Amino acid sequence: MSTEQKQQQDYLRLPAEVLYREELEALRREDKGSIPAGWQMSPRSVLTFIAGGKAGKTPITPKYIGNTRLIEMAVATLVTDRALLLIGEPGTAKSWLSENLAAAIYGHSGLVVQGTAGTSEEHVRYSWNYAMLLANGPSPEALVKSPIMWAMEAGGIARFEEISRCASEVQDALISILSEKTISVPELGSETSARKGFSIIATANTRDRGVNEMSAALKRRFNIIVLPAPSDLETEMAIVKKRVGEIAASYQLQAAAPADEALMKVVTIFRELRSGMTLDKKEKVKSPAGVISTAEAISLLTNSMALAASFGSGELTDGDLAAGLQGAIVKDDDKDKLVWKEYLDNVMKKRGSEWRSLYQACKEMNE
């Protein structure tokens, strides 16, 4: 193991361009396609990085498991001067896809505006170092550039996370940027014009509709791609298994990976509670108030592995899974506890001997 690899183990989370550096270098080295201005590799190589494949003899791990056509549409959007908006339910890998697209195209995924109720127009355009401003007045040295402004100057990719959580005036600040591809600084009598390669990848959560609805004018500036929840049980299991393995390796959890049976049970429970229907379509079930997403399933299994490693034998037990399920599903205590109890008694209890141990462990946790 190299010194750099040892140092990387000290960090909780690495950006995609560092985590997958060898894959990116291999793709750039083997790239025979036409590379757009400002890009690090061709659109086809970007697709390979996201969807998986090979670059020469180097295997490329899939970063997104789902409809490849959606990835092709996203990459094709960024070839043009259109911005990209990824919309979906919580846990549909919007931010993960955004980060990996930026890493592959620009080589840097860290130019991020995080949308919140407190995000201001300054976060989108620019602000000032007020100590320098008061001392010397407006100057280039006192200007604090936003991530979007940095991306414009460099011809890179800026990311705008959870854009629908921002106030309407903040969202509207993007309209002129996306239309004119410039940011004016009247105090300096100057403007920053975007270089070729500049674009914005934004994400929006469908659960946030009605919080700060995006205007039609802003939506027109984006190509919108809706990322669906995994279409079937097998696909969701594959996603969960892959990410749990990666996260467990990063944390060096001294626990065995979840067996396929445990994965199947957790994903089945999540899909049924999320859809309000058992997989065989024979019985309706109530859904809890919280988010029952693929990302939550990944977190649940990772936490259960940590529990098994820290306080058990290292083998994942039904008791470990039950503790994780209780925490993931019962959020709004009174309502969710009742929903979970009904699911246990009306669905899980009737599934026979294969589910009996998990049912008993969950029942004890929910009493």
Side-chain angles (χ1 to χ4, degrees), residues 23 26 44 78 95 107 149 167 184 187 208-209 224 232 269 273 284 308 311 315 318 325 339 349 351 358:
E23 292 185 14
R44 192 171 293 276
L78 296 170
S95 297
M149 197 173 192
S184 297
E187 297 89 340
D208 289 337
R209 284 178 179 170
I224 299 174
D232 53 58
I269 291 167
L273 289 172
K284 290 184 178 181
F311 303 105
E315 294 289 332
D318 286 330
L325 285 164
V339 168
K349 185 179 181 179
R351 285 197 161 137
L358 180 59

Side-chain angles (χ1 to χ4, degrees), residues 330 336-347 359 363 366:
V330 182
D336 291 345
K337 191 171 184 179
L338 181 60
V339 168
W340 184 220
K341 181 179 184 301
E342 289 185 8
Y343 180 86
L344 292 174
D345 292 339
N346 297 336
V347 178
Y359 163 74
K363 189 75 173 174
N366 202 48

Side-chain angles (χ1 to χ4, degrees), residues 54-279:
K54 294 199 77 174
K57 295 182 179 180
T58 303
I60 307 299
T61 58
K63 317 302 180 300
Y64 178 84
I65 299 174
N67 190 336
T68 304
R69 193 61 175 171
L70 293 178
I71 309 304
E72 292 175 348
M73 291 165 60
V75 175
T77 293
L78 296 170
V79 172
T80 71
D81 64 354
R82 294 279 287 178
L84 174 65
L85 176 59
L86 303 174
I87 293 179
E89 288 285 316
T92 48
K94 300 181 295 298
S95 297
W96 179 244
L97 179 55
S98 166
E99 178 183 349
N100 281 277
L101 283 170
I105 293 169
Y106 178 46
H108 179 36
S109 63
L111 297 175
V112 184
V113 176
Q114 181 60 56
T116 68
T119 302
S120 68
E121 191 173 336
E122 291 181 342
H123 293 98
V124 177
R125 293 180 175 273
Y126 61 88
S127 59
W128 298 97
N129 179 321
Y130 286 101
M132 296 178 69
L133 185 67
L134 291 171
N136 303 311
S139 67
E141 293 74 22
L143 186 71
V144 179
K145 301 170 184 176
S146 71
I148 292 174
M149 197 173 192
W150 279 111
M152 291 177 73
E153 286 187 337
I157 302 289
R159 298 165 53 211
F160 201 132
E161 293 293 317
E162 306 291 0
I163 189 173
S164 58
R165 298 199 65 81
C166 298
S168 56
E169 60 268 21
V170 178
Q171 296 181 23
D172 288 345
L174 272 179
I175 293 177
S176 63
I177 293 174
L178 295 176
S179 298
E180 306 300 328
K181 302 296 190 294
T182 62
I183 294 179
S184 297
V185 186
E187 297 89 340
L188 299 178
S190 66
E191 67 178 22
T192 296
S193 296
R195 298 182 63 183
K196 287 184 177 180
F198 166 72
S199 193
I200 292 176
I201 305 175
T203 65
N205 192 330
T206 52
R207 287 288 185 101
D208 289 337
R209 284 178 179 170
V211 176
N212 290 298
E213 190 69 34
M214 291 174 63
S215 69
L218 181 56
K219 286 181 179 179
R220 286 198 301 271
R221 269 69 180 182
F222 286 100
N223 274 3
I224 299 174
I225 293 177
V226 179
L227 298 181
S231 58
D232 53 58
L233 180 71
E234 291 72 23
T235 299
E236 189 160 4
M237 283 181 61
I239 294 169
V240 172
K241 186 174 185 177
K242 176 180 181 297
R243 287 296 294 144
V244 168
E246 291 172 346
I247 295 169
S250 174
Y251 291 150
Q252 298 181 322
L253 296 179
Q254 302 301 309
D260 286 347
E261 183 181 2
L263 277 171
M264 181 274 294
K265 289 176 180 176
V266 170
V267 173
T268 295
I269 291 167
F270 270 51
R271 290 184 71 85
E272 291 181 336
L273 289 172
R274 189 164 63 223
S275 67
M277 183 77 69
T278 56
L279 293 186

Side-chain angles (χ1 to χ4, degrees), residues 3 28 108 192 289 333:
T3 302
R28 288 193 287 265
H108 179 36
T192 296
D333 198 35

